[in-house]
């Protein structure tokens, strides 16, 4: 019995911030907070994906491209373009979901404000216009979801814009790195062949 009481009190204490949030801004502000958690979670996941998955995959792609026997035929260039598109598509995969969440946030905030204002007007119709303080408090609570939704949307839009710029820059740099890697490999092979031929000549005994 004491354990159940302690568990229930702990559970109620854990939900106390959520209840205060609902009281201050309505139930839709909780929805906005959940959207923000998903949005920032996807942003963090993309950062980890860039460092832990995309960079090794890019290096492997460059290594496989350099290891090919020829690089200028139509089939080779088509194969390179397919691999590049596939790598970049995996990088930008969550981008439509990020844009959707950014679009939903201000709409959810506006919906919370409209429902809050409806509740304020209903209270005024019942209690009259004498309680100015209560009306001002209700209007302030009604506008809080819009503020939260716009704040989350602005931060999310900044990340989406930055992420799109990174993907475009990676698209340009990847083709440059593939071409430069082939040129470096050829120059290295030419230098090695030149060194071998010069060493063979120097080791040839004179008659």
């Amino acid at each position: 019995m004491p354990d159940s009481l302690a568990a229930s009190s702990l559970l109620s204490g854990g939900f106390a911030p959520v209840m205060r949030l609902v009281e201050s801004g309505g139930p839709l502000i909780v929805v906005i907070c959940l959207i923000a958690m998903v949005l920032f979670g996807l942003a963090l996941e993309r950062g980890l994906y860039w460092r832990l998955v995309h960079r090794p995959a890019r290096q492997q792609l460059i290594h496989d491209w350099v290891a090919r026997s020829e690089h200028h035929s139509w089939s080779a260039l088509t194969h390179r373009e397919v691999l590049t598109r596939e790598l970049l598509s995996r990088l930008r995969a969550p981008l439509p979901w990020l844009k959707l969440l950014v679009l939903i946030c201000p709409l959810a905030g506006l919906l919370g404000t409209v429902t809050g204002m409806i509740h304020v007007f209903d209270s005024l119709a019942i209690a009259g216009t004498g309680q100015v303080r209560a009306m001002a408090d209700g209007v302030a609570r009604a506008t809080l979801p819009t503020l939260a939704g716009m704040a989350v949307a602005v931060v999310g839009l900044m990340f989406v814009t930055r992420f799109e710029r990174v993907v475009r820059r990676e698209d340009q740099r990847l083709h440059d790195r593939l071409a430069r890697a082939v040129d470096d490999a050829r120059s290295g092979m030419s230098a090695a062949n030149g060194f071998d031929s010069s060493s063979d000549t120097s080791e040839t005994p004179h008659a």
Side-chain angles (χ1 to χ4, degrees):
M1 187 65 178
D3 295 338
S4 62
L5 291 176
S8 61
S9 63
L10 181 61
L11 186 62
S12 61
F15 280 101
V18 179
M19 297 305 297
R20 287 197 297 269
L21 189 62
V22 173
E23 291 176 359
S24 61
L28 279 174
I29 200 169
V30 179
V31 176
I32 295 173
C33 291
L34 294 176
I35 294 174
M37 292 174 60
V38 176
L39 181 62
F40 298 146
L42 286 176
L44 179 62
E45 185 270 338
R46 283 297 92 184
L48 295 176
Y49 180 86
W50 172 268
R51 292 181 177 274
L52 302 179
V53 179
H54 179 75
R55 286 181 176 178
R58 181 180 61 191
Q59 292 300 118
Q60 184 63 37
L61 174 61
I62 294 174
H63 180 269
D64 294 341
W65 173 248
V66 173
R68 287 180 61 93
S69 58
E70 51 87 21
H71 305 89
H72 298 287
S73 66
W74 179 84
S75 60
L77 295 177
T78 303
H79 182 67
R80 186 187 72 173
E81 188 66 22
V82 169
L83 294 179
T84 304
R85 293 297 102 190
E86 183 181 357
L87 183 64
L88 293 175
S89 65
R90 290 198 301 266
L91 179 61
R92 63 164 62 96
L95 189 57
W97 294 103
L98 291 170
K99 292 182 178 179
L100 180 62
L101 293 175
V102 169
L103 181 63
I104 288 175
C105 279
L107 297 179
L110 183 60
L111 181 60
T113 297
V114 171
T115 55
M117 293 300 294
I118 291 174
H119 180 69
V120 170
F121 291 147
D122 287 339
S123 301
L124 289 176
I126 295 173
T129 59
Q131 299 179 355
V132 180
R133 187 184 299 273
M135 183 179 67
D137 184 64
V139 172
R141 290 183 179 181
T143 54
L144 185 60
T146 297
L147 176 62
M150 292 183 66
V152 174
V154 167
V155 177
L157 185 60
M158 291 174 60
F159 173 77
V160 168
T161 304
R162 172 66 177 172
F163 184 61
E164 287 181 333
R165 189 181 300 115
V166 168
V167 172
R168 288 195 299 267
R169 185 175 60 189
E170 179 68 11
D171 189 5
Q172 297 173 358
R173 290 184 176 181
L174 186 57
H175 290 84
D176 296 338
R177 288 178 179 178
L178 289 171
R180 189 168 60 249
V182 173
D183 294 338
D184 292 342
R186 287 181 175 178
S187 62
M189 292 177 61
S190 300
N193 292 332
F195 177 77
D196 292 339
S197 61
S198 62
S199 62
D200 292 341
T201 304
S202 61
E203 291 177 0
T204 302
H206 297 282

